[in-house]
mmCIF file of all heavy atoms in Angstrom:
data_model
loop_
_atom_site.group_PDB
_atom_site.id
_atom_site.type_symbol
_atom_site.label_atom_id
_atom_site.label_comp_id
_atom_site.label_asym_id
_atom_site.label_seq_id
_atom_site.Cartn_x
_atom_site.Cartn_y
_atom_site.Cartn_z
ATOM 1 N N SER A 1 25.637 -14.287 -17.979
ATOM 2 C CA SER A 1 24.467 -14.552 -17.137
ATOM 3 C C SER A 1 23.776 -15.830 -17.588
ATOM 4 O O SER A 1 23.842 -16.221 -18.748
ATOM 5 C CB SER A 1 23.501 -13.373 -17.193
ATOM 6 O OG SER A 1 23.043 -13.208 -18.498
ATOM 7 N N THR A 2 23.084 -16.456 -16.641
ATOM 8 C CA THR A 2 22.347 -17.676 -16.951
ATOM 9 C C THR A 2 20.991 -17.290 -17.522
ATOM 10 O O THR A 2 20.539 -16.158 -17.356
ATOM 11 C CB THR A 2 22.156 -18.516 -15.666
ATOM 12 O OG1 THR A 2 21.363 -17.757 -14.768
ATOM 13 C CG2 THR A 2 23.495 -18.870 -15.043
ATOM 14 N N PRO A 3 20.302 -18.231 -18.158
ATOM 15 C CA PRO A 3 18.998 -17.895 -18.745
ATOM 16 C C PRO A 3 17.962 -17.472 -17.713
ATOM 17 O O PRO A 3 17.027 -16.770 -18.031
ATOM 18 C CB PRO A 3 18.567 -19.185 -19.444
ATOM 19 C CG PRO A 3 19.745 -20.063 -19.479
ATOM 20 C CD PRO A 3 20.740 -19.563 -18.483
ATOM 21 N N HIS A 4 18.108 -17.886 -16.452
ATOM 22 C CA HIS A 4 17.110 -17.557 -15.434
ATOM 23 C C HIS A 4 17.405 -16.245 -14.722
ATOM 24 O O HIS A 4 16.580 -15.746 -13.992
ATOM 25 C CB HIS A 4 17.004 -18.685 -14.413
ATOM 26 C CG HIS A 4 16.574 -19.987 -15.039
ATOM 27 N ND1 HIS A 4 15.317 -20.176 -15.531
ATOM 28 C CD2 HIS A 4 17.251 -21.132 -15.267
ATOM 29 C CE1 HIS A 4 15.227 -21.399 -16.034
ATOM 30 N NE2 HIS A 4 16.386 -21.996 -15.885
ATOM 31 N N GLN A 5 18.586 -15.686 -14.901
ATOM 32 C CA GLN A 5 18.936 -14.434 -14.247
ATOM 33 C C GLN A 5 19.114 -13.355 -15.302
ATOM 34 O O GLN A 5 19.881 -13.528 -16.239
ATOM 35 C CB GLN A 5 20.233 -14.579 -13.458
ATOM 36 C CG GLN A 5 20.123 -15.561 -12.314
ATOM 37 C CD GLN A 5 21.472 -15.752 -11.637
ATOM 38 O OE1 GLN A 5 22.501 -15.393 -12.183
ATOM 39 N NE2 GLN A 5 21.441 -16.330 -10.449
ATOM 40 N N PRO A 6 18.400 -12.237 -15.159
ATOM 41 C CA PRO A 6 18.542 -11.181 -16.158
ATOM 42 C C PRO A 6 19.919 -10.532 -16.068
ATOM 43 O O PRO A 6 20.508 -10.426 -15.008
ATOM 44 C CB PRO A 6 17.440 -10.183 -15.796
ATOM 45 C CG PRO A 6 17.129 -10.462 -14.372
ATOM 46 C CD PRO A 6 17.447 -11.914 -14.133
ATOM 47 N N SER A 7 20.384 -10.133 -17.189
ATOM 48 C CA SER A 7 21.682 -9.464 -17.270
ATOM 49 C C SER A 7 21.565 -8.059 -16.711
ATOM 50 O O SER A 7 20.574 -7.378 -16.931
ATOM 51 C CB SER A 7 22.121 -9.420 -18.731
ATOM 52 O OG SER A 7 23.254 -8.612 -18.867
ATOM 53 N N PRO A 8 22.576 -7.573 -15.966
ATOM 54 C CA PRO A 8 22.496 -6.219 -15.406
ATOM 55 C C PRO A 8 22.691 -5.133 -16.450
ATOM 56 O O PRO A 8 22.375 -3.987 -16.204
ATOM 57 C CB PRO A 8 23.621 -6.199 -14.378
ATOM 58 C CG PRO A 8 24.576 -7.242 -14.821
ATOM 59 C CD PRO A 8 23.758 -8.282 -15.532
ATOM 60 N N GLU A 9 23.173 -5.466 -17.620
ATOM 61 C CA GLU A 9 23.442 -4.445 -18.626
ATOM 62 C C GLU A 9 22.213 -3.662 -19.066
ATOM 63 O O GLU A 9 22.283 -2.446 -19.180
ATOM 64 C CB GLU A 9 24.136 -5.043 -19.865
ATOM 65 C CG GLU A 9 25.529 -5.558 -19.614
ATOM 66 C CD GLU A 9 25.534 -7.021 -19.239
ATOM 67 O OE1 GLU A 9 24.544 -7.723 -19.533
ATOM 68 O OE2 GLU A 9 26.505 -7.464 -18.631
ATOM 69 N N PRO A 10 21.053 -4.290 -19.329
ATOM 70 C CA PRO A 10 19.904 -3.486 -19.774
ATOM 71 C C PRO A 10 19.495 -2.434 -18.756
ATOM 72 O O PRO A 10 19.160 -1.321 -19.121
ATOM 73 C CB PRO A 10 18.798 -4.511 -19.992
ATOM 74 C CG PRO A 10 19.499 -5.787 -20.243
ATOM 75 C CD PRO A 10 20.768 -5.704 -19.423
ATOM 76 N N GLN A 11 19.538 -2.752 -17.453
ATOM 77 C CA GLN A 11 19.174 -1.777 -16.421
ATOM 78 C C GLN A 11 20.146 -0.604 -16.459
ATOM 79 O O GLN A 11 19.743 0.543 -16.411
ATOM 80 C CB GLN A 11 19.177 -2.442 -15.038
ATOM 81 C CG GLN A 11 18.796 -1.510 -13.915
ATOM 82 C CD GLN A 11 17.333 -1.113 -13.943
ATOM 83 O OE1 GLN A 11 16.503 -1.856 -14.434
ATOM 84 N NE2 GLN A 11 17.025 0.058 -13.440
ATOM 85 N N ALA A 12 21.426 -0.871 -16.541
ATOM 86 C CA ALA A 12 22.417 0.195 -16.568
ATOM 87 C C ALA A 12 22.269 1.032 -17.839
ATOM 88 O O ALA A 12 22.380 2.252 -17.809
ATOM 89 C CB ALA A 12 23.818 -0.396 -16.485
ATOM 90 N N ARG A 13 21.995 0.392 -18.934
ATOM 91 C CA ARG A 13 21.831 1.113 -20.193
ATOM 92 C C ARG A 13 20.607 2.021 -20.132
ATOM 93 O O ARG A 13 20.645 3.167 -20.533
ATOM 94 C CB ARG A 13 21.703 0.099 -21.328
ATOM 95 C CG ARG A 13 21.847 0.691 -22.693
ATOM 96 C CD ARG A 13 21.859 -0.367 -23.755
ATOM 97 N NE ARG A 13 21.094 -1.504 -23.266
ATOM 98 C CZ ARG A 13 21.334 -2.760 -23.595
ATOM 99 N NH1 ARG A 13 22.260 -3.067 -24.405
ATOM 100 N NH2 ARG A 13 20.630 -3.733 -23.117
ATOM 101 N N ARG A 14 19.519 1.516 -19.577
ATOM 102 C CA ARG A 14 18.322 2.341 -19.453
ATOM 103 C C ARG A 14 18.577 3.514 -18.519
ATOM 104 O O ARG A 14 18.142 4.617 -18.756
ATOM 105 C CB ARG A 14 17.139 1.532 -18.930
ATOM 106 C CG ARG A 14 16.451 0.720 -20.002
ATOM 107 C CD ARG A 14 15.273 0.066 -19.407
ATOM 108 N NE ARG A 14 15.802 -0.846 -18.390
ATOM 109 C CZ ARG A 14 15.212 -1.942 -17.973
ATOM 110 N NH1 ARG A 14 14.056 -2.272 -18.418
ATOM 111 N NH2 ARG A 14 15.753 -2.720 -17.083
ATOM 112 N N ALA A 15 19.283 3.286 -17.430
ATOM 113 C CA ALA A 15 19.552 4.355 -16.482
ATOM 114 C C ALA A 15 20.377 5.458 -17.123
ATOM 115 O O ALA A 15 20.167 6.630 -16.862
ATOM 116 C CB ALA A 15 20.275 3.804 -15.260
ATOM 117 N N SER A 16 21.302 5.093 -17.977
ATOM 118 C CA SER A 16 22.142 6.116 -18.595
ATOM 119 C C SER A 16 21.371 6.905 -19.650
ATOM 120 O O SER A 16 21.767 8.015 -19.985
ATOM 121 C CB SER A 16 23.376 5.471 -19.215
ATOM 122 O OG SER A 16 22.985 4.632 -20.292
ATOM 123 N N GLN A 17 20.279 6.357 -20.158
ATOM 124 C CA GLN A 17 19.510 7.041 -21.192
ATOM 125 C C GLN A 17 18.447 7.973 -20.604
ATOM 126 O O GLN A 17 17.888 8.784 -21.314
ATOM 127 C CB GLN A 17 18.832 6.021 -22.108
ATOM 128 C CG GLN A 17 19.826 5.207 -22.906
ATOM 129 C CD GLN A 17 19.158 4.048 -23.627
ATOM 130 O OE1 GLN A 17 18.006 3.744 -23.390
ATOM 131 N NE2 GLN A 17 19.903 3.419 -24.509
ATOM 132 N N LEU A 18 18.168 7.862 -19.308
ATOM 133 C CA LEU A 18 17.137 8.678 -18.680
ATOM 134 C C LEU A 18 17.714 10.006 -18.221
ATOM 135 O O LEU A 18 18.892 10.089 -17.866
ATOM 136 C CB LEU A 18 16.544 7.946 -17.474
ATOM 137 C CG LEU A 18 15.731 6.698 -17.793
ATOM 138 C CD1 LEU A 18 15.335 6.005 -16.505
ATOM 139 C CD2 LEU A 18 14.504 7.044 -18.603
ATOM 140 N N PRO A 19 16.891 11.058 -18.181
ATOM 141 C CA PRO A 19 17.352 12.325 -17.606
ATOM 142 C C PRO A 19 17.708 12.140 -16.135
ATOM 143 O O PRO A 19 17.252 11.201 -15.483
ATOM 144 C CB PRO A 19 16.153 13.254 -17.764
ATOM 145 C CG PRO A 19 15.266 12.604 -18.763
ATOM 146 C CD PRO A 19 15.560 11.139 -18.722
ATOM 147 N N ASP A 20 18.492 13.058 -15.605
ATOM 148 C CA ASP A 20 18.964 12.944 -14.225
ATOM 149 C C ASP A 20 17.834 12.995 -13.202
ATOM 150 O O ASP A 20 17.944 12.424 -12.133
ATOM 151 C CB ASP A 20 19.972 14.060 -13.917
ATOM 152 C CG ASP A 20 21.272 13.849 -14.671
ATOM 153 O OD1 ASP A 20 21.556 12.693 -15.045
ATOM 154 O OD2 ASP A 20 21.983 14.841 -14.887
ATOM 155 N N ASP A 21 16.733 13.697 -13.501
ATOM 156 C CA ASP A 21 15.661 13.820 -12.514
ATOM 157 C C ASP A 21 14.700 12.630 -12.507
ATOM 158 O O ASP A 21 13.754 12.599 -11.746
ATOM 159 C CB ASP A 21 14.872 15.114 -12.726
ATOM 160 C CG ASP A 21 14.125 15.128 -14.051
ATOM 161 O OD1 ASP A 21 14.523 14.395 -14.976
ATOM 162 O OD2 ASP A 21 13.142 15.882 -14.147
ATOM 163 N N VAL A 22 14.935 11.634 -13.357
ATOM 164 C CA VAL A 22 14.079 10.452 -13.408
ATOM 165 C C VAL A 22 14.784 9.312 -12.701
ATOM 166 O O VAL A 22 15.832 8.864 -13.143
ATOM 167 C CB VAL A 22 13.750 10.054 -14.867
ATOM 168 C CG1 VAL A 22 12.900 8.799 -14.886
ATOM 169 C CG2 VAL A 22 13.060 11.192 -15.582
ATOM 170 N N PRO A 23 14.223 8.861 -11.553
ATOM 171 C CA PRO A 23 14.874 7.766 -10.832
ATOM 172 C C PRO A 23 14.725 6.446 -11.582
ATOM 173 O O PRO A 23 13.773 6.237 -12.322
ATOM 174 C CB PRO A 23 14.125 7.720 -9.503
ATOM 175 C CG PRO A 23 12.809 8.335 -9.788
ATOM 176 C CD PRO A 23 13.025 9.332 -10.884
ATOM 177 N N VAL A 24 15.671 5.567 -11.385
ATOM 178 C CA VAL A 24 15.640 4.248 -12.011
ATOM 179 C C VAL A 24 15.020 3.279 -11.021
ATOM 180 O O VAL A 24 15.417 3.218 -9.861
ATOM 181 C CB VAL A 24 17.067 3.792 -12.392
ATOM 182 C CG1 VAL A 24 17.030 2.400 -12.984
ATOM 183 C CG2 VAL A 24 17.684 4.774 -13.359
ATOM 184 N N HIS A 25 14.013 2.554 -11.464
ATOM 185 C CA HIS A 25 13.319 1.578 -10.630
ATOM 186 C C HIS A 25 13.385 0.226 -11.315
ATOM 187 O O HIS A 25 13.615 0.124 -12.516
ATOM 188 C CB HIS A 25 11.848 1.963 -10.434
ATOM 189 C CG HIS A 25 11.651 3.275 -9.740
ATOM 190 N ND1 HIS A 25 11.761 3.413 -8.391
ATOM 191 C CD2 HIS A 25 11.360 4.504 -10.226
ATOM 192 C CE1 HIS A 25 11.550 4.669 -8.058
ATOM 193 N NE2 HIS A 25 11.298 5.352 -9.160
ATOM 194 N N ASP A 26 13.123 -0.803 -10.547
ATOM 195 C CA ASP A 26 13.043 -2.138 -11.132
ATOM 196 C C ASP A 26 11.775 -2.299 -11.943
ATOM 197 O O ASP A 26 11.695 -3.148 -12.807
ATOM 198 C CB ASP A 26 13.094 -3.197 -10.035
ATOM 199 C CG ASP A 26 14.452 -3.253 -9.365
ATOM 200 O OD1 ASP A 26 15.445 -2.882 -10.017
ATOM 201 O OD2 ASP A 26 14.520 -3.666 -8.194
ATOM 202 N N ASP A 27 10.774 -1.493 -11.642
ATOM 203 C CA ASP A 27 9.495 -1.570 -12.337
ATOM 204 C C ASP A 27 9.620 -0.904 -13.703
ATOM 205 O O ASP A 27 9.826 0.304 -13.796
ATOM 206 C CB ASP A 27 8.429 -0.862 -11.505
ATOM 207 C CG ASP A 27 7.053 -0.909 -12.144
ATOM 208 O OD1 ASP A 27 6.891 -1.601 -13.173
ATOM 209 O OD2 ASP A 27 6.137 -0.261 -11.613
ATOM 210 N N PRO A 28 9.500 -1.664 -14.783
ATOM 211 C CA PRO A 28 9.671 -1.065 -16.105
ATOM 212 C C PRO A 28 8.551 -0.080 -16.469
ATOM 213 O O PRO A 28 8.718 0.744 -17.350
ATOM 214 C CB PRO A 28 9.657 -2.266 -17.054
ATOM 215 C CG PRO A 28 8.946 -3.333 -16.315
ATOM 216 C CD PRO A 28 9.237 -3.089 -14.865
ATOM 217 N N GLU A 29 7.433 -0.141 -15.757
ATOM 218 C CA GLU A 29 6.337 0.774 -16.038
ATOM 219 C C GLU A 29 6.531 2.121 -15.355
ATOM 220 O O GLU A 29 5.852 3.079 -15.654
ATOM 221 C CB GLU A 29 5.007 0.160 -15.592
ATOM 222 C CG GLU A 29 4.642 -1.094 -16.354
ATOM 223 C CD GLU A 29 4.440 -0.833 -17.833
ATOM 224 O OE1 GLU A 29 3.832 0.192 -18.188
ATOM 225 O OE2 GLU A 29 4.904 -1.652 -18.640
ATOM 226 N N ARG A 30 7.432 2.197 -14.391
ATOM 227 C CA ARG A 30 7.639 3.428 -13.635
ATOM 228 C C ARG A 30 8.689 4.274 -14.349
ATOM 229 O O ARG A 30 9.836 4.325 -13.966
ATOM 230 C CB ARG A 30 8.070 3.089 -12.212
ATOM 231 C CG ARG A 30 8.223 4.282 -11.318
ATOM 232 C CD ARG A 30 6.885 4.905 -11.047
ATOM 233 N NE ARG A 30 7.099 6.008 -10.103
ATOM 234 C CZ ARG A 30 6.430 7.116 -10.116
ATOM 235 N NH1 ARG A 30 5.482 7.294 -10.982
ATOM 236 N NH2 ARG A 30 6.671 8.050 -9.245
ATOM 237 N N HIS A 31 8.278 4.949 -15.398
ATOM 238 C CA HIS A 31 9.197 5.756 -16.186
ATOM 239 C C HIS A 31 8.960 7.248 -15.993
ATOM 240 O O HIS A 31 9.613 8.067 -16.599
ATOM 241 C CB HIS A 31 9.065 5.406 -17.666
ATOM 242 C CG HIS A 31 7.678 5.632 -18.192
ATOM 243 N ND1 HIS A 31 6.686 4.697 -18.015
ATOM 244 C CD2 HIS A 31 7.116 6.675 -18.828
ATOM 245 C CE1 HIS A 31 5.567 5.160 -18.546
ATOM 246 N NE2 HIS A 31 5.796 6.352 -19.042
ATOM 247 N N LEU A 32 8.042 7.605 -15.129
ATOM 248 C CA LEU A 32 7.715 9.006 -14.900
ATOM 249 C C LEU A 32 8.512 9.559 -13.725
ATOM 250 O O LEU A 32 8.861 8.825 -12.805
ATOM 251 C CB LEU A 32 6.218 9.152 -14.614
ATOM 252 C CG LEU A 32 5.283 8.673 -15.722
ATOM 253 C CD1 LEU A 32 3.851 8.684 -15.239
ATOM 254 C CD2 LEU A 32 5.442 9.538 -16.950
ATOM 255 N N PRO A 33 8.777 10.845 -13.723
ATOM 256 C CA PRO A 33 9.454 11.448 -12.574
ATOM 257 C C PRO A 33 8.598 11.318 -11.314
ATOM 258 O O PRO A 33 7.378 11.192 -11.393
ATOM 259 C CB PRO A 33 9.603 12.919 -12.962
ATOM 260 C CG PRO A 33 9.290 13.006 -14.401
ATOM 261 C CD PRO A 33 8.514 11.797 -14.786
ATOM 262 N N GLU A 34 9.237 11.357 -10.154
ATOM 263 C CA GLU A 34 8.529 11.199 -8.882
ATOM 264 C C GLU A 34 7.437 12.244 -8.689
ATOM 265 O O GLU A 34 6.390 11.968 -8.130
ATOM 266 C CB GLU A 34 9.517 11.282 -7.713
ATOM 267 C CG GLU A 34 10.430 10.084 -7.598
ATOM 268 C CD GLU A 34 9.694 8.820 -7.183
ATOM 269 O OE1 GLU A 34 8.664 8.913 -6.492
ATOM 270 O OE2 GLU A 34 10.151 7.743 -7.574
ATOM 271 N N HIS A 35 7.673 13.482 -9.144
ATOM 272 C CA HIS A 35 6.693 14.543 -8.923
ATOM 273 C C HIS A 35 5.473 14.421 -9.841
ATOM 274 O O HIS A 35 4.505 15.135 -9.680
ATOM 275 C CB HIS A 35 7.346 15.919 -9.111
ATOM 276 C CG HIS A 35 7.796 16.171 -10.522
ATOM 277 N ND1 HIS A 35 9.023 15.732 -10.984
ATOM 278 C CD2 HIS A 35 7.193 16.789 -11.559
ATOM 279 C CE1 HIS A 35 9.149 16.089 -12.260
ATOM 280 N NE2 HIS A 35 8.057 16.727 -12.624
ATOM 281 N N HIS A 36 5.526 13.509 -10.800
ATOM 282 C CA HIS A 36 4.395 13.352 -11.710
ATOM 283 C C HIS A 36 3.515 12.208 -11.215
ATOM 284 O O HIS A 36 3.842 11.053 -11.355
ATOM 285 C CB HIS A 36 4.877 13.065 -13.124
ATOM 286 C CG HIS A 36 3.752 12.848 -14.097
ATOM 287 N ND1 HIS A 36 2.541 13.467 -13.987
ATOM 288 C CD2 HIS A 36 3.656 12.082 -15.197
ATOM 289 C CE1 HIS A 36 1.745 13.089 -14.973
ATOM 290 N NE2 HIS A 36 2.401 12.243 -15.711
#
């Protein structure tokens, strides 16, 4: 990846570390389940 484009690996890594009921969003602050 170029310096101006983020690598897709961190997003995929974070998604694999989250429980199944927690959706993955682009917003790094949105780490809570939808029902919360």
Side-chain angles (χ1 to χ4, degrees):
S1 62
T2 63
H4 299 291
Q5 296 175 344
S7 171
E9 293 91 20
Q11 181 70 28
R13 193 174 28 211
R14 279 184 296 206
S16 66
Q17 294 170 350
L18 292 174
D20 290 337
D21 65 337
V22 178
V24 178
H25 298 281
D26 292 334
D27 181 7
E29 296 297 319
R30 184 68 176 145
H31 59 278
L32 300 172
E34 289 291 332
H35 65 275
H36 178 32

